[in-house]
Amino acid sequence: MKATLFLYMSVVFLLFSCGAKHDKQQPGKTSNTDTVVQRKLDSVPAKTDSLEHLAANMVASAESYRNDGNTEAEGIFIDAFIEALKQPKAFETDFANLKKYEIKVLTADDGRLRVFYWLSPYSGSMWHVQNIVQYKDENDAVIALSFNSLYEDKDDEGSPTPFFEHIYALNTSPQKTYLLTGYGQMSGTEPYSVSHTLVIDHAKFSINKALFKTGKAVKTQLFASAELKEDQDKEKLIAQLAITYNPGGKTISYPEVNETKDGSVLTGKRNVLTFRDGMFK
């Protein structure tokens, strides 16, 4: 009897000991798994961040820019946004979640070209507007790029980067030609108006085609600015500077400006060019 009881107690003790050891090992095993998962999460590249998160970082970086001049946050957002705009279904997406960061969109009258734009958080009295072009070609392939990258002199900090107000598709073939009109600000006292032609030829984009003939000169853009006087209304001056296009008559109207010792001054006259044979003249 004693032998049987002793044997029974030995078995119970052995089972209890094994169970206790097993229980002590479980937390250690779980901890190792958590560590592996954490390493995998830490290794996920930053490119998986949402566009909205990157846009928020860009806006929030304005203060640090004033302190150290770092513009990296906007560059990261632009690169990610361009890649997103290149995706097959992106042309049908309005990216409404970016509107809270003042990122807006303008669509051409033929519906095949869009420009997403915002005032750079690093702007001062001179405006630097970021314009991202998205184009859907005849084969429904989607292309996206930064408008600012199209300037020939990439290092020119004074290159006008306007708010575009209108995009018109011009009747040209085989290349596509768009007329973009808008306005901007060179300084707090010098607003301007500008018009560009964007030529798309076999997926190659250019704003450097000289398609404006004014007198004997041939230009790649129309540009007009004037000094804002102390007693002038800024909005009224911007309206007077506006470059306008009439699709029916294919005419573009722009203000005449004289350069004086006191700066650029509007004469009150407007010149008109007509689009024919692939050029405004």
Side-chain angles (χ1 to χ4, degrees):
M1 180 67 180
K2 290 182 178 179
T4 302
L5 180 61
F6 176 79
L7 180 61
Y8 173 78
M9 293 301 294
S10 298
V11 170
V12 170
F13 179 78
L14 181 61
L15 290 173
F16 177 81
S17 299
C18 290
K21 289 182 180 179
H22 181 70
D23 288 342
K24 288 180 181 179
Q25 288 173 355
Q26 286 303 307
K29 184 177 181 181
T30 302
S31 178
N32 289 340
T33 303
D34 288 345
T35 302
V36 171
V37 172
Q38 186 62 45
R39 285 172 184 166
K40 287 182 179 179
L41 290 176
D42 289 343
S43 68
V44 174
K47 66 182 180 182
T48 59
D49 286 352
S50 68
L51 284 176
E52 187 173 352
H53 177 67
L54 295 178
N57 285 346
M58 173 182 69
V59 173
S61 70
E63 184 175 351
S64 63
Y65 166 74
R66 288 190 287 270
N67 295 329
D68 57 27
N70 191 331
T71 62
E72 183 181 14
E74 185 174 61
I76 291 172
F77 172 73
I78 289 174
D79 290 343
F81 195 25
I82 288 175
E83 288 306 309
L85 290 173
K86 290 178 181 179
Q87 301 308 308
K89 299 295 184 181
F91 202 84
E92 286 70 40
T93 303
D94 61 4
F95 295 92
N97 60 325
L98 298 180
K99 290 180 180 178
K100 69 179 73 174
Y101 305 105
E102 298 299 317
I103 298 172
K104 303 175 183 178
V105 60
L106 178 66
T107 304
D109 57 2
D110 70 348
R112 302 197 72 86
L113 184 139
R114 303 195 298 180
V115 173
F116 289 84
Y117 63 95
W118 66 93
L119 182 65
S120 172
Y122 315 133
S123 289
S125 61
M126 176 186 287
W127 291 350
H128 288 278
V129 182
Q130 295 292 351
N131 293 294
I132 308 300
V133 177
Q134 185 191 41
Y135 176 65
K136 190 174 185 179
D137 68 17
E138 60 278 3
N139 298 316
D140 289 338
V142 181
I143 303 166
L145 72 162
S146 168
F147 189 91
N148 290 347
S149 69
L150 299 174
Y151 287 104
E152 280 189 341
D153 188 353
K154 305 299 191 304
D155 298 323
D156 183 5
E157 291 296 328
S159 293
T161 52
F163 282 112
F164 289 118
E165 295 182 292
H166 303 283
I167 307 174
Y168 304 96
L170 303 177
N171 186 22
T172 59
S173 182
Q175 75 279 5
K176 292 285 293 185
T177 304
Y178 289 92
L179 176 71
L180 299 92
T181 60
Y183 67 97
Q185 184 171 286
M186 295 297 289
S187 70
T189 59
E190 191 180 359
Y192 68 82
S193 62
V194 67
S195 181
H196 285 284
T197 52
L198 174 61
V199 178
I200 307 172
D201 189 3
H202 295 93
K204 292 184 179 180
F205 291 66
S206 175
I207 60 171
N208 301 308
K209 305 290 185 182
L211 300 183
F212 299 99
K213 187 175 183 180
T214 59
K216 294 183 179 180
V218 181
K219 303 177 180 179
T220 60
Q221 66 177 15
L222 293 178
F223 181 86
S225 66
E227 294 287 339
L228 180 68
K229 307 303 180 184
E230 288 187 9
D231 58 345
Q232 276 186 301
D233 180 87
K234 185 175 181 180
E235 295 302 319
K236 184 177 180 180
L237 177 58
I238 290 174
Q240 292 173 331
L241 283 168
I243 297 174
T244 59
Y245 178 65
N246 176 7
K250 297 183 179 181
T251 56
I252 192 167
S253 171
Y254 63 99
E256 186 177 279
V257 179
N258 279 346
E259 297 297 332
T260 71
K261 63 180 182 179
D262 297 320
S264 302
V265 179
L266 287 170
T267 67
K269 299 179 181 179
R270 295 184 70 86
N271 299 316
V272 176
L273 302 176
T274 302
F275 188 71
R276 58 179 185 272
D277 301 324
M279 178 178 287
F280 284 98
K281 48 189 175 182

